[in-house]
Amino acid sequence: MFSKILIANRGEVAVRVIRAAKELGIRTVAVFSEADASSLHVKLADESVCIGKAPASDSYLNIPSIISAAEITDVEAIHPGYGFLAEDAHFAEICESCQIKFIGPTPENIRIMGDKMAAKNAAKKAGLPITPGSKGIVNTKEEALSTAKKIKYPVIIKASLGGGGKGMRVCHNDVRLVGAFLTAQREAEAAFGNPDVYIEKYIEEPRHIEFQILADSYGHVVHLGERECTIQRRHQKLIEESPSPALDAKVRKKMGDIAVRCAKSIGYVNAGTIEFLMDKNNNFYFMEMNTRIQVEHTVTEMLTGIDLVKEQIKIAAGEKLKYKQDDIKFRGSSIECRVYAEDPDNDFRPCPGRIAALNLPGGPGIRIDTHIYQGYEISPYYDSMIAKIISYGSSRRQAISIMRRALDEFILEPIKTTIPFNREVLSNPSFLRGRFTTAFVDKLLEAKERIK
Ligand code: MV4
């Protein structure tokens, strides 16, 4: 096992990784920007190194600074958390070439899944269900039109290096398709330095369901069940839960087996997530694979009792998985509400500032993952997620009532947060019945707008 690792991240995930390392008896090095000198991850780590100015490009994305910090402090491995450099194949490569273990998948794993068309082709080759669409990159408007003719409207144009909703365009007819195709190419070039786009059948009002997998370096792969991530706004997830109210045992088994097959087929190592789109008739399709630990990994931990971050570190250190698929038991129901320092009544505008008063919820069935404390200054430079509230109960109803009680306990002054919005979702009849699609949040906000 490693004796010392560096955490190339900030905020709640840096704290999360430090906790896992501590429990494994590993010493920790925090890196921080000039804006984060008094951040919790710096206080909790054994050592810390300032790596640059507040803008992420000068600090948390600054590879030479991070590698220098790792060399100076003599760490054996780097955990990237999520965001920043977590899915940067080049960074993973540089770590390895400096004899520093990257706690995550191989550079090849990251590269193939970062190219969404290549990922789709790999998934297809492994026998996964994929949405009908172009065989590969679509290069001309004639090809775009013939693809649409074959799969029929509506279609969606996606940037090959996009993902997470960036650079997507939905089209309903030939007239719109040509313009949208050319714009999508131009936008992809500007955003990702590569104009490649592909086209697929647009699945209307789907659900987003993802499977957590763990893979060791010896080809052993298990899945840890699904997460329901359909409650999103502009590709920002707001509430996640496990199990998904949309799956029965049969579909769950089928999707889990498929997720494992996908990871095995590309020789995947470490923790990863296979995302699926599910349509109204419960048909599901491979969408993307995330090659990192995710924000919502917590709900999976509650059901399985498995610490995913500790597993990531153990896998990177060369340990074998201790579980076979049948050893993984799922118990109860868990929900995560993300708390953003944003004003839900003002188009979710970020609300940075100093926290004057704070009460974090607690009690039975509540877990809080956060880096905030009373007196902490929420920085305008970074993501506005300030806490995750995770509830755990014996049933979905229990998990919901525990969460509603916890939301009522949360006090944070004078910053506006998305807690009131979370509360609304948790009392919405469609949500309570487990019947919702990716259009849920927009519909809720539109309904509110009408009665204003
Ligand atoms: C789609 C889709 C419908 N049909 N692909 C959004 C994020 C990126 N991972 C892919 N996304 C979508 N791909 C086809 N063929 C709808 C979405 C989508 C979406 C997916 C999951 C959760 C929320 C979403 C919100 C809007 C669009």
Side-chain angles (χ1 to χ4, degrees):
M1 183 43 71
F2 308 121
S3 58
K4 192 175 175 186
I5 68 171
L6 181 145
I7 298 96
N9 214 304
R10 65 178 302 283
E12 73 85 18
V13 74
V15 171
R16 174 73 189 85
V17 176
I18 291 168
R19 286 175 172 153
K22 259 194 176 164
E23 290 175 23
L24 290 171
I26 301 169
R27 278 178 307 131
T28 51
V29 177
V31 293
F32 63 99
S33 72
E34 286 176 8
D36 273 339
S38 47
S39 283
L40 190 60
H41 74 288
V42 177
K43 297 178 202 288
L44 294 186
D46 297 298
E47 293 171 59
S48 62
V49 182
C50 182
I51 51 164
K53 298 207 172 294
S57 53
D58 294 337
S59 48
Y60 300 106
L61 290 171
N62 184 337
I63 295 177
S65 273
I66 291 167
I67 296 291
S68 304
E71 309 240 280
I72 290 164
T73 54
D74 199 25
V75 300
E76 298 147 75
I78 296 182
H79 195 301
Y82 52 70
F84 297 128
L85 297 169
E87 291 174 283
D88 186 325
H90 176 64
F91 177 63
E93 239 158 35
I94 290 179
C95 289
E96 309 284 286
S97 69
C98 296
Q99 262 65 253
I100 301 164
K101 185 74 191 165
F102 178 79
I103 303 174
T106 66
E108 298 72 38
N109 291 162
I110 300 174
R111 200 159 273 130
I112 187 165
M113 289 306 173
D115 179 335
K116 304 306 163 188
M117 191 67 237
K120 193 178 176 187
N121 285 335
K124 185 181 180 188
K125 215 171 124 190
L128 270 70
I130 54 167
T131 48
S134 56
K135 290 256 175 308
I137 302 307
V138 176
N139 290 299
T140 64
K141 57 183 195 290
E142 289 76 21
E143 254 181 272
L145 287 164
S146 68
T147 304
K149 195 178 165 97
K150 202 164 81 198
I151 63 177
K152 302 202 170 55
Y153 290 102
V155 302
I156 182 166
I157 310 170
K158 296 183 175 183
S160 202
L161 298 191
K166 281 176 287 184
M168 297 186 339
R169 271 207 149 59
V170 178
C171 278
H172 296 270
N173 57 57
D174 283 356
V175 178
R176 288 292 173 85
L177 182 67
V178 174
F181 168 70
L182 296 171
T183 312
Q185 279 191 323
R186 242 183 296 117
E187 283 183 3
E189 172 72 58
F192 315 112
N194 178 315
D196 290 352
V197 299
Y198 61 102
I199 296 179
E200 54 188 38
K201 179 81 179 172
Y202 181 60
I203 313 292
E204 287 175 285
E205 299 207 10
R207 297 179 82 116
H208 171 147
I209 295 171
E210 58 184 31
F211 267 77
Q212 177 71 54
I213 64 106
L214 278 177
D216 68 18
S217 312
Y218 310 94
H220 305 297
V221 184
V222 293
H223 77 78
L224 285 82
E226 82 280 9
R227 292 185 288 260
E228 169 69 66
C229 302
T230 298
I231 307 289
Q232 318 198 352
R233 177 185 168 272
R234 302 202 183 151
H235 306 296
Q236 190 185 52
K237 292 173 187 160
L238 299 172
I239 296 176
E240 305 97 336
E241 60 179 306
S242 190
S244 164
L247 297 192
D248 59 29
K250 207 175 134 200
V251 180
R252 176 173 294 115
K253 165 101 175 70
K254 200 168 150 197
M255 286 176 97
D257 289 348
I258 280 173
V260 168
R261 199 191 315 150
C262 177
K264 276 189 178 158
S265 75
I266 66 154
Y268 193 81
V269 183
N270 215 283
T273 302
I274 322 284
E275 296 184 349
F276 295 99
L277 278 181
M278 184 179 256
D279 70 16
K280 290 182 178 68
N281 303 317
N282 278 14
N283 299 307
F284 60 86
Y285 309 93
F286 169 84
M287 183 163 53
E288 291 178 15
M289 181 170 188
N290 298 318
T291 55
R292 61 171 189 276
I293 191 77
Q294 289 185 277
V295 175
E296 62 271 25
H297 75 275
T298 55
V299 295
T300 300
E301 293 184 325
M302 303 312 282
L303 262 69
T304 59
I306 294 173
D307 184 316
L308 286 165
V309 181
K310 280 200 220 168
E311 293 299 324
Q312 283 194 292
I313 298 171
K314 289 194 278 189
I315 289 167
E319 287 189 18
K320 281 186 187 150
L321 278 180
K322 289 198 171 64
Y323 324 88
K324 294 199 175 56
Q325 190 61 54
D326 287 345
D327 299 329
I328 295 168
K329 305 284 186 225
F330 304 93
R331 210 167 145 234
S333 178
S334 181
I335 302 177
E336 171 177 277
C337 280
R338 299 189 186 188
V339 182
Y340 293 95
E342 295 176 2
D343 182 359
D345 292 327
N346 238 315
D347 204 28
F348 290 77
R349 183 191 325 147
C351 297
R354 188 175 173 277
I355 298 171
L358 177 67
N359 182 61
L360 292 174
I366 285 295
R367 162 178 172 184
I368 307 284
D369 279 22
T370 186
H371 59 291
I372 66 170
Y373 53 85
Q374 193 168 326
Y376 176 75
E377 175 106 23
I378 300 165
S379 169
Y381 284 98
Y382 312 109
D383 188 90
S384 55
M385 191 181 77
I386 52 168
K388 309 189 297 200
I389 310 172
I390 303 104
S391 74
Y392 176 74
S394 55
S395 65
R396 186 168 188 265
R397 283 176 65 136
Q398 287 283 339
I400 289 172
S401 39
I402 292 168
M403 180 62 82
R404 289 171 63 164
R405 179 277 284 171
L407 291 169
D408 287 343
E409 288 179 17
F410 206 110
I411 300 170
L412 195 152
E413 282 167 9
I415 314 281
K416 290 256 195 325
T417 73
T418 50
I419 297 233
F421 184 80
N422 286 325
R423 240 196 229 110
E424 273 178 53
V425 175
L426 268 86
S427 58
N428 177 281
S430 302
F431 179 81
L432 296 178
R433 279 166 39 230
R435 294 192 51 97
F436 45 83
T437 73
T438 52
F440 176 86
V441 173
D442 282 344
K443 284 180 184 167
L444 193 66
L445 292 172
E446 274 166 34
K448 278 181 65 173
E449 206 54 44
R450 273 198 299 278
I451 59 165
K452 242 191 199 169

